[in-house]
């Protein structure tokens, strides 16, 4: 087990060095992502200036949802950015590089790339939680824990979906765009959907566990929902 963790740490260190080989470019990407997230959230701020709630959710709830998604997704692409290229790696035959290593190929595939902009997502999550969501510093450990769990669900779901190209190479483009579809759904309050769509979001596409359930667990102080996410 210690050797495996050492291998993963070496992979991560190598990717981070490569990602920040040009510090100015990396920091620029990070800063632009923070700005992008705040501008996107501003749309919801303007919405709630006109309408006080969205089926029981207020501005703070939507901000918390966006913060959870930003943290989970940001950490995912920062530490396991290779997930976004998984389908193309399989179709192009580049999988052999990872199969030839004396370790399980999946961690090597997922951690084959680091995206500096992901750290901008993580940083913006704290700003969103403390400012827009009006949470206190004491809430941060629980928010981080549930966001980590949400990010793990997100990574597993996207990796599994991209592996469909093993059997159906023709859907490569669709597999590559899948993560964009998932991300669009996670940042939208899912409680506004009907029962049929919500059933899909809890099962086939477990998007609810990436954003909605963590937020509801904190809003309601429900330990069972917290445990469900973890």
């Amino acid at each position: 087990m210690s050797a495996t963790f050492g291998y993963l740490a070496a992979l991560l260190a190598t990717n981070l060095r490569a990602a920040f080989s040009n510090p100015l470019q990396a920091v620029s990407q990070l800063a632009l992502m923070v700005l992008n997230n705040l501008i996107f959230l501003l749309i919801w701020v303007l919405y709630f200036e006109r309408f006080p709630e969205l089926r029981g959710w207020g501005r703070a709830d939507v901000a918390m949802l966006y913060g959870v998604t930003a943290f989970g997704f940001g950490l995912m692409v920062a530490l396991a950015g290779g997930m976004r290229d998984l389908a193309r790696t399989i179709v192009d035959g580049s999988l052999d590089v990872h199969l030839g290593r004396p370790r399980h190929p999946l961690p090597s595939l997922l951690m084959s790339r680091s995206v500096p902009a992901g750290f901008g997502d993580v940083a913006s999550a704290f700003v969103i939680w403390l400012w827009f969501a009006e949470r206190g510093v004491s809430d941060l450990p629980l928010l981080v824990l549930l966001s980590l769990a949400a990010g793990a669900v997100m990574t597993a779901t996207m990796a599994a979906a991209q592996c469909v190209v093993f059997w159906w190479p023709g859907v490569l483009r669709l597999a590559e765009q899948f993560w964009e579809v998932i991300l669009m759904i996670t940042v939208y309050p899912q409680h506004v959907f009907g029962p049929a769509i919500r059933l899909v979001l809890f099962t086939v596409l477990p998007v609810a566990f990436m954003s909605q359930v963590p937020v509801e667990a904190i809003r309601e102080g429900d330990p069972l929902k917290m445990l469900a996410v973890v």
Side-chain angles (χ1 to χ4, degrees):
M1 184 66 75
S2 61
T4 298
F5 281 118
Y7 171 65
L8 296 178
L11 279 177
L12 179 60
T14 301
N15 293 333
L16 290 177
R17 281 196 298 269
F20 286 88
S21 58
N22 186 334
L24 181 60
Q25 182 180 7
V27 172
S28 298
Q29 291 179 21
L30 193 154
L32 287 173
M33 185 54 67
V34 173
L35 183 62
N36 175 77
N37 288 344
L38 295 179
I39 290 175
F40 182 88
L41 190 60
L42 183 61
I43 298 173
W44 282 109
V45 172
L46 295 175
Y47 173 88
F48 285 109
E49 286 292 326
R50 186 177 180 86
F51 306 101
E53 65 175 37
L54 180 64
R55 290 197 178 181
W57 276 34
R59 188 190 76 173
D61 301 317
V62 174
M64 186 161 53
L65 175 125
Y66 195 72
V68 168
T69 302
F71 189 100
F73 177 79
L75 199 63
M76 178 187 69
V77 297
L79 304 184
M83 180 280 307
R84 295 173 61 176
D85 305 317
L86 186 56
R88 184 161 295 277
T89 300
I90 295 169
V91 172
D92 289 350
S94 304
L95 199 61
D96 293 347
V97 175
H98 303 276
L99 292 173
R101 295 176 179 175
R103 296 286 178 183
H104 196 290
L106 184 57
S108 175
L109 278 161
L110 297 179
M111 302 179 71
S112 61
R113 180 187 174 201
S114 177
V115 182
F119 291 108
D121 282 314
V122 173
S124 65
F126 290 97
V127 177
I128 292 169
W129 288 332
L130 295 173
W131 186 7
F132 294 97
E134 301 173 359
R135 310 303 298 190
V137 175
S138 60
D139 296 319
L140 293 181
L142 184 57
L143 282 165
V144 169
L145 172 63
L146 294 182
S147 298
L148 284 171
V153 175
M154 196 179 297
T155 304
T157 301
M158 294 187 178
Q162 293 208 48
C163 283
V164 73
V165 297
F166 274 122
W167 298 273
W168 196 1
V171 297
L172 171 62
R173 186 58 182 161
L174 180 62
E176 289 180 328
Q177 292 179 338
F178 179 74
W179 69 273
E180 296 179 359
V181 174
I182 291 293
L183 188 60
M184 287 173 60
I185 300 174
T186 54
V187 296
Y188 194 82
Q190 293 129 38
H191 69 292
V192 302
F193 296 129
I197 296 179
R198 283 171 57 82
L199 178 63
V200 173
L201 298 181
F202 273 92
T203 54
V204 181
L205 302 175
V207 177
F209 293 99
M210 303 175 197
S211 55
Q212 180 185 338
V213 180
V215 172
E216 288 182 346
I218 296 173
R219 286 179 75 229
E220 302 166 7
D222 190 339
L224 290 178
K225 286 187 177 180
M226 296 176 192
L227 183 62
V229 176
V230 174

